[in-house]
Structure formats: C-alpha cells, structure tokens
C-alpha cells in the first residue's frame, strides 16, 4: 500500500455519499446521525476475515466490497428496518497495491448507491497478516416495531424469500475446482440483501419473527425457534430451489443438504399468521421476489423436515459454525 492512511481516508470521504439523517460524516472524532422521533436505531456489525470468510484467489475485490456491505444490510432488513449508514473498519495487508484497495472500495461505493446508504466513518490500519474487514450498519425502524427472532407463534406459516442453497453449491464447485456457472458465482460472490422486502415486511407488520439466512436454513431457523420457544415442521417439497440447484440434486441427491445447511444465501426467513397469506403473495408480486411457504410453527419444540413422501428427512449437519468446525467450509 503506497497511499498513506490520510490520503486513503480523504479518497473514501469524497465517495462516502450522504443522507438526510446525516449530521456529521467522515472527518471528526465521531459521526453523528439523527434518529427521527418515533424511531429506534438498529446497529449490527459483521467481521469478514481473509481465509475464514473469503479467499482472495476465489473472489475479486470489487465483489468482496459489495458483499461486505450486503451482509450487513441483510441484518437490518431481517429486523424489518431501513439501513441508513455504515462504518467501515479495514486492516489492509501491507502487500496490497493501491489498485487492489481501489477495486475493493469501488465495490463499497457501488453498494452504497445500490442500497441508498452512506459511509459515516470507520477506521483504517495496516495489517501484517490477512485482510480484515469490519462493517457496522445502522438503520431505523418505528419504535417498538423491530421484527425480532422471538415472535413466532404456533400455527404461523414459515416463509422464505428467493431460492436456497445456491451459494453453498457454488462453494462446492469451487472446492472441487469445477468451472462455476455464472448464476452460482453471482449468488455466492455478489449476494443481494433483501433490503426492501425486509423493510416492507416490518412496516406492514407482516412478519411475527424474522432472521436472515447466513448460516443455512436449518441452523438459522433453529435460532428463531429457540428464541420463540416453539418448534417447526418443514416440507422439503416446498423448499424453493433454483433451476441449476434442482438439476444438480437430480444428479446427486445428497446435495439437497445444501438447501438446508449451505450458508450465505442472505435470503429472509420469517413467520407470519395464516391470515397474511394473500398480502404476502401480493407483496411478492409487487417486488418481483419469490416468497415460498415452506412449513409451519408447532408447539412441540422440535425441528422436523418432512421429505416428499412424508418421511422424516434426516440431516447430516446443521450449519456452518466457525467455532465447532476446524475452519473448513464444508457443509457435510
Ligand atoms: P481517529 O484517530 O479519531 O480514529 P482517524 O484518523 O482514524 O480518526 O479517522 C479520521 C476520520 O476518518 C474519522 O471520521 C473516521 O471515521 C474516518 N475513517 C477512517 N477510516 C475510515 C474508513 N475505512 N472508512 C470510512 N471512514 C473512515
Ligand atoms: Mg482511527
């Protein structure tokens, strides 16, 4: 890295964007954001570490920049909120060229535009080891209306947006050194956060509980069920799968586990009272985002997957857990 820390910060400042809630942006000891009356502030941080969350020989830096924003926006969406601004912490390897830093930042800038958020601040230092990225997002929702993981009620439907397992399938291709179809590359390296969907589910009070799918349906649903102290029955036949994923499962049925435990889909999983079905179907059409009803909440605190013949489907592994595993990204 040739550019000094202050040149770099000045470069970032010029592209940081702005927003109506901004009071102080980059350049002071703190940023300052106004919380409009009747709203509450939602804050979430995600850490992305080279060789734990991404590999530089697999991803391009522009995509990594976009993804480091998307994964945070996804958390605010999962609370039914609207993202407003970000803080970006960077530990940049000393071997990085200015060109590499610029590519990464272009990805950040493009995500700022895409999600209509601004960069309010951050911290920058040199790393003697891997690239380290820490993004904090702040968003807003109406006071008392954040959609938590705790609100699922017995008999609620369980819904999921988009398709499942594509990102996990992409990882499988990469690990097996097979050429990666563009669709899967996009899902894995450039996931789009369901920002507007999450916000509207919150505003229209259509979700009783919600979580974003970062670690896989089985693991993330388990978190929601634990928080809500309920159980669930999932119908495997209803799980939304992309064309490529379905084709792959036909060839290798074991890949179905990826739809349940493959991480990083960044779709939204939520529960909703059955009276909301028509409203959710019309929201799906309005946003042109598939919403699938995949199961229901039950009182016994178990998570059961029913396969196509109504048999119980047994899962090999729940989800990717950084601490339980030795760090490999395998799902089986
Ligand atoms: P301090 O010494 O108070 O930590 P810095 O010199 O680190 O201040 O940062 C100066 C300003 O630049 C602050 O407003 C900070 O939020 C911002 N900043 C530093 N690094 C980044 C970054 N990677 N992205 C966005 N803003 C940054
Ligand atoms: Mg600093």
């Amino acid at each position: 890295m040739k550019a000094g820390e202050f040149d770099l910060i000045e470069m970032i400042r010029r592209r940081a964007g702005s927003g109506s809630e901004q009071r102080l942006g980059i350049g002071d000891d703190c940023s300052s954001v106004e919380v409009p009356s009747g709203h509450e502030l939602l804050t979430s941080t995600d850490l992305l570490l080279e060789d734990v969350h991404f590999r530089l020989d697999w991803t391009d830096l522009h995509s990594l920049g976009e993804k480091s924003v998307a994964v945070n926006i996804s958390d605010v969406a999962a609370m039914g909120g609207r993202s407003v601004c970000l803080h970006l912490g960077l530990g940049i390897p000393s071997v990085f060229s200015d060109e590499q830093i610029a590519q990464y930042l272009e990805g950040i800038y493009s995500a700022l535009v895409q999600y209509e958020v601004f960069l309010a601040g951050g911290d920058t230092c040199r790393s003697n080891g891997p690239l380290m990225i820490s993004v904090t997002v702040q968003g807003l929702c109406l006071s008392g209306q954040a959609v938590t993981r705790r609100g699922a009620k017995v008999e609620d439907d369980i819904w999921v947006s988009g398709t499942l397992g594509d990102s996990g399938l992409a990882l499988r291709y990469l690990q097996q050194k097979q050429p990666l179809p563009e669709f899967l590359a996009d899902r894995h390296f450039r996931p789009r956060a369901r920002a507007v969907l999450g916000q509207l589910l919150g505003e229209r009070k259509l979700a009783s509980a919600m979580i974003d799918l970062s670690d896989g349906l089985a693991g993330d649903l388990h978190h929601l069920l634990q928080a809500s102290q309920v159980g669930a029955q999932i119908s495997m036949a209803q799980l939304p799968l992309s064309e490529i994923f379905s084709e792959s499962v036909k060839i290798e049925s074991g890949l179905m586990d990826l739809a349940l435990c493959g991480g990083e889909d960044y779709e939204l999983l939520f529960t909703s009272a059955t009276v909301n079905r028509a409203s959710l179907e019309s929201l799906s059409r309005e946003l042109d985002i598939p919403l699938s009803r995949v199961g229901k909440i039950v009182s016994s605190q178990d998570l059961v997957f029913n396969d196509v013949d109504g048999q119980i489907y047994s899962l090999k592994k729940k989800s990717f857990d950084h601490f339980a595993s030795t760090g490999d990204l395998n799902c089986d």
Side-chain angles (χ1 to χ4, degrees):
M1 178 167 83
K2 290 209 189 63
E5 181 187 334
F6 295 104
D7 298 332
L8 185 61
I9 293 173
E10 177 51 25
M11 209 167 82
I12 294 174
R13 193 189 61 76
R14 277 189 247 122
R15 304 280 298 275
S18 63
S20 57
E21 292 87 1
Q22 183 173 22
R23 292 291 162 267
L24 278 175
I26 293 173
D28 220 305
D29 294 316
C30 285
S31 66
S32 171
V33 168
E34 182 165 331
V35 179
S37 72
H39 288 72
E40 62 188 57
L41 188 65
L42 303 165
T43 306
S44 173
T45 298
D46 265 304
L47 198 56
L48 291 174
L49 294 182
E50 182 181 343
D51 292 334
V52 176
H53 299 96
F54 61 88
R55 284 176 53 164
L56 286 176
D57 54 343
W58 282 353
T59 185
D60 68 282
L61 286 160
H62 189 284
S63 300
L64 185 63
E66 276 187 73
K67 183 169 178 172
S68 43
V69 172
V71 300
N72 276 265
I73 302 279
S74 177
D75 283 321
V76 172
M79 300 297 288
R82 171 175 67 87
S83 292
V84 171
C85 66
L86 304 170
H87 284 78
L88 174 64
L90 289 178
I92 303 172
S94 26
V95 295
F96 257 43
S97 66
D98 290 351
E99 174 61 24
Q100 283 177 298
I101 298 169
Q103 275 172 14
Y104 173 78
L105 290 174
E106 283 301 328
I108 295 279
Y109 307 143
S110 98
L112 296 180
V113 174
Q114 195 179 323
Y115 296 109
E116 299 180 43
V117 293
F118 61 90
L119 197 50
D123 203 19
T124 308
C125 70
R126 200 179 288 268
S127 161
N128 292 327
L131 173 61
M132 291 179 284
I133 304 163
S134 166
V135 182
T136 298
V137 63
Q138 292 186 303
L140 295 169
C141 70
L142 286 173
S143 289
Q145 285 184 23
V147 184
T148 65
R149 300 174 180 184
R150 295 195 299 257
K153 302 274 181 312
V154 174
E155 294 294 320
D156 278 357
D157 292 322
I158 301 172
W159 294 78
V160 69
S161 66
T163 55
L164 298 174
D166 299 320
S167 182
L169 184 59
L171 195 57
R172 182 63 61 102
Y173 272 76
L174 290 163
Q175 286 165 338
Q176 297 181 343
K177 299 190 168 54
Q178 289 176 43
L180 189 58
E182 193 49 38
F183 170 81
L184 293 181
D186 212 51
R187 294 283 286 157
H188 185 70
F189 293 121
R190 289 171 291 280
R192 311 283 191 288
R194 298 296 193 184
V196 179
L197 174 63
Q199 187 188 336
L200 291 183
L201 287 171
E203 282 175 12
R204 296 182 189 179
K205 300 198 174 79
L206 288 173
S208 49
M210 181 148 58
I211 190 167
D212 68 324
L213 294 178
S214 52
D215 296 331
L217 176 86
D220 289 324
L221 176 57
H222 182 69
H223 294 315
L224 186 148
L225 297 177
Q226 270 194 322
S228 297
Q229 298 201 306
V230 289
Q233 284 188 350
I234 298 292
S235 161
M236 299 287 290
Q238 307 300 320
L239 296 182
L241 306 177
S242 66
E243 239 176 87
I244 292 190
F245 194 94
S246 308
E247 288 304 313
S248 307
V249 169
K250 275 188 210 150
I251 298 165
E252 191 186 334
S253 64
L255 288 177
M256 197 58 202
D257 275 10
L258 289 175
L260 297 176
C261 74
E264 300 204 302
D265 281 322
Y266 296 105
E267 295 295 347
L268 292 176
L269 173 79
F270 59 96
T271 56
S272 188
T274 52
V275 292
N276 294 325
R277 284 181 188 174
S279 308
L280 286 166
E281 276 152 19
S282 91
L283 178 62
S284 166
R285 282 191 298 274
E286 184 184 329
L287 299 180
D288 198 21
I289 295 173
L291 293 180
S292 309
R293 195 149 46 83
V294 297
K296 65 172 186 172
I297 296 293
V298 296
S299 57
S300 76
Q301 294 191 19
D302 300 323
L303 172 51
V304 176
F305 295 95
N306 296 308
D307 73 12
V308 189
D309 320 313
Q311 303 290 313
I312 291 175
Y313 181 91
S314 71
L315 189 64
K316 291 196 201 81
K317 187 181 173 190
K318 268 213 205 89
S319 68
F320 178 65
D321 177 336
H322 291 284
F323 291 102
S325 87
T326 49
D328 70 326
L329 299 175
N330 259 312
C331 193
D332 57 9

